[in-house]
Amino acid sequence: MTRQPLISPGRLLPIAVLLALAAVVVLSPIAGRGVTGEEATFCLGFILIFAFFAARVLKSIKLPEISGYILAGVLCGPFVMNILSLEVVRRLQIFDDVALAVIALIAGGEIRMSFLKKGKASILSVIGGHVLLSFVGALLVAFFARDHIAFLAGGGPRAVIAAALLLGVVTAARSPATTIGVVTETRSRGPYTDLIIGVTVILDVVVLVLAALIVPTVRALTIPGEGFSLLFAKDLLIEVFGSIAAGVFFGSVLAAYIRWVGEQLPIFLLGVGFVGSIVCRHYHLEPLLAFMIAGFIIQNFTVMGDRLIKALERSAMPVYVIFFAISGASINLDALRLMWLLAIILVVMRAAAFHAGSLLAGRVVRAVRPHSKSLWLGLLSQAGVTIGIATVFERRLPWGAELKTIVLAVVALNQLIGPIALKFILVRRGEAGGMDRL
């Protein structure tokens, strides 16, 4: 029997045609690259179609569809073919915010109070182990690589400790959006999946609080004459608790609509995501956290949780295409070229820290033991919150720009390998619904 090729020419032909047409329209002299509304609209439509075909190709070789969306964004983004220029990517960020709101609602809706009560020891032990080992690993990298990091060369112990604190907090951060995307795509259910989601979502809040405390500490360590001040920490903590309050409000509005109206629910959810994201940005709140809380409120304090999740899943596919394609276009390949060796070291250190942290959590809490050896594979992805924290470092610290370049390079690698690792382990553990076990 003749074995069929994994990727047939028929699958690749539509992608080649789409790329050729986009190149003619966007890159040829007939396009002035003035980034008009028409060009942004064309680029959005193109990336939707192109990412969909790319995902089909990757799915045929058992890779996550999300990786196809990300890869499509990378290929069409400003650092490769420049079909999506930097300005176009910035203009499309509004769609990115709406998609993130929907993904955050799904993330919050997947966390049930019953699981938190039963699994809080497991979640806290994993988070504690991962955060602790992330800081230990970051300290080792900062110490041994200090002569190869521009802003640490010639610096004393205070500079090394400061860099370790900063690298530790960004190393610990995850990507709830990517995790929820892969879980939804694979229709995964089970104890491993629940633990992955719980750790990823709750760790976001922990990382934001840690960042609020670490920035003033680092300023005191590295800026002559600078004393320790909790003013910045106060601002960040207000942002965290303000986001939680906004989430309670959004959740109440959505619950009331689902209960008393209920018609055209996916459209209403997108509308609330759009308006809510704008409101959060205006008041310097974190939309991801706000909509996670909203989903959690609806799932656990109303009887509308199942209707919410079903409505979100009906609109999930185009939302994921937009979000992850734009995320792929935003991956800074220039930063990766500059810092590739250090980025690889940090990625390996991060994975090792997660593995060791999971094993440590398994020793402390019996319920974690069945998952401890493979837990790290489900927690590699990084995106939004990590980049947001790196941007705060850039604005508040003297060598924050150099640090952000390193972080962007690490995020680029983790966001490419993370979805693949997560899908692999979900299938391997038999929690991916409707899929063959490897």
Side-chain angles (χ1 to χ4, degrees), residues 242-258:
S243 301
I244 293 173
V248 173
F249 173 74
F250 295 148
S252 301
V253 169
L254 288 171
Y257 181 87
I258 296 171

Side-chain angles (χ1 to χ4, degrees), residues 14-15 18 43-56 72 321:
I15 294 178
L18 281 170
C43 289
L44 176 62
F46 166 75
I47 196 64
L48 279 168
I49 298 171
F50 177 63
F52 175 78
F53 277 113
R56 296 289 96 184
V321 175

Side-chain angles (χ1 to χ4, degrees), residues 121-407:
S122 299
I123 293 173
L124 292 177
S125 66
V126 172
I127 288 175
H130 285 197
V131 170
L132 174 64
L133 272 297
S134 292
F135 280 103
V136 171
L139 179 61
L140 293 174
V141 171
F143 178 78
F144 288 107
R146 64 189 184 281
D147 293 333
H148 305 284
I149 302 175
F151 56 83
L152 286 183
R158 290 163 68 97
V160 172
I161 292 172
L165 289 173
L166 297 171
L167 290 173
V169 73
V170 296
T171 296
R174 307 287 195 276
S175 174
T178 304
T179 301
I180 293 299
V182 175
V183 168
T184 302
E185 176 193 327
T186 57
R187 304 187 303 282
S188 296
R189 293 290 184 274
Y192 181 89
T193 303
D194 288 342
L195 184 57
I196 288 289
I197 293 174
V199 169
T200 302
V201 171
I202 294 171
L203 189 59
D204 247 21
V205 183
V206 174
V207 165
L208 287 171
V209 174
L210 285 174
L213 299 173
I214 283 173
V215 169
T217 304
V218 169
R219 287 179 63 86
L221 285 171
T222 57
I223 301 177
E226 179 92 8
F228 182 82
S229 172
L230 284 175
L231 289 177
F232 178 73
K234 182 192 73 173
D235 291 341
L236 253 183
L237 290 175
I238 289 174
E239 175 184 323
V240 170
F241 288 107
S243 301
I244 293 173
V248 173
F249 173 74
F250 295 148
S252 301
V253 169
L254 288 171
Y257 181 87
I258 296 171
R259 180 173 183 178
W260 300 111
V261 182
E263 299 295 328
Q264 302 298 328
L265 187 51
I267 295 176
F268 185 77
L269 291 172
L270 291 174
V272 172
F274 175 73
V275 174
S277 296
I278 292 176
V279 170
C280 286
R281 297 296 183 195
H282 179 75
Y283 289 103
H284 306 290
L285 303 178
E286 177 52 57
L288 180 66
L289 177 57
F291 282 100
M292 279 182 184
I293 295 296
F296 180 80
I297 292 292
I298 296 171
Q299 180 63 255
N300 294 282
F301 297 97
T302 75
V303 294
M304 310 298 166
D306 289 341
R307 290 184 65 185
L308 172 72
I309 295 298
K310 288 178 182 177
L312 290 170
E313 287 178 346
R314 285 201 300 271
S315 57
M317 198 276 282
V319 166
Y320 289 151
V321 175
I322 293 172
F323 178 79
F324 290 106
I326 296 173
S327 296
S330 302
I331 291 177
N332 194 323
L333 296 184
D334 285 347
L336 187 56
R337 291 188 195 101
L338 289 172
M339 297 287 184
W340 66 270
L341 181 57
L342 181 59
I344 290 174
I345 292 172
L346 285 168
V347 166
V348 172
M349 178 277 292
R350 182 174 181 264
F354 290 176
H355 187 45
S358 299
L359 293 175
L360 179 62
R363 287 183 172 274
V364 175
V365 178
R366 183 185 298 272
V368 179
R369 291 176 191 171
H371 317 298
S372 59
K373 291 183 179 180
S374 60
L375 197 61
W376 66 280
L377 283 168
L379 298 167
L380 297 179
S381 298
Q382 272 189 305
V385 171
T386 311
I387 297 173
I389 292 172
T391 301
V392 171
F393 293 165
E394 180 183 28
R395 294 171 183 168
R396 299 286 301 177
L397 300 171
W399 29 265
E402 293 91 335
L403 181 68
K404 184 180 179 182
T405 302
I406 296 172
V407 172

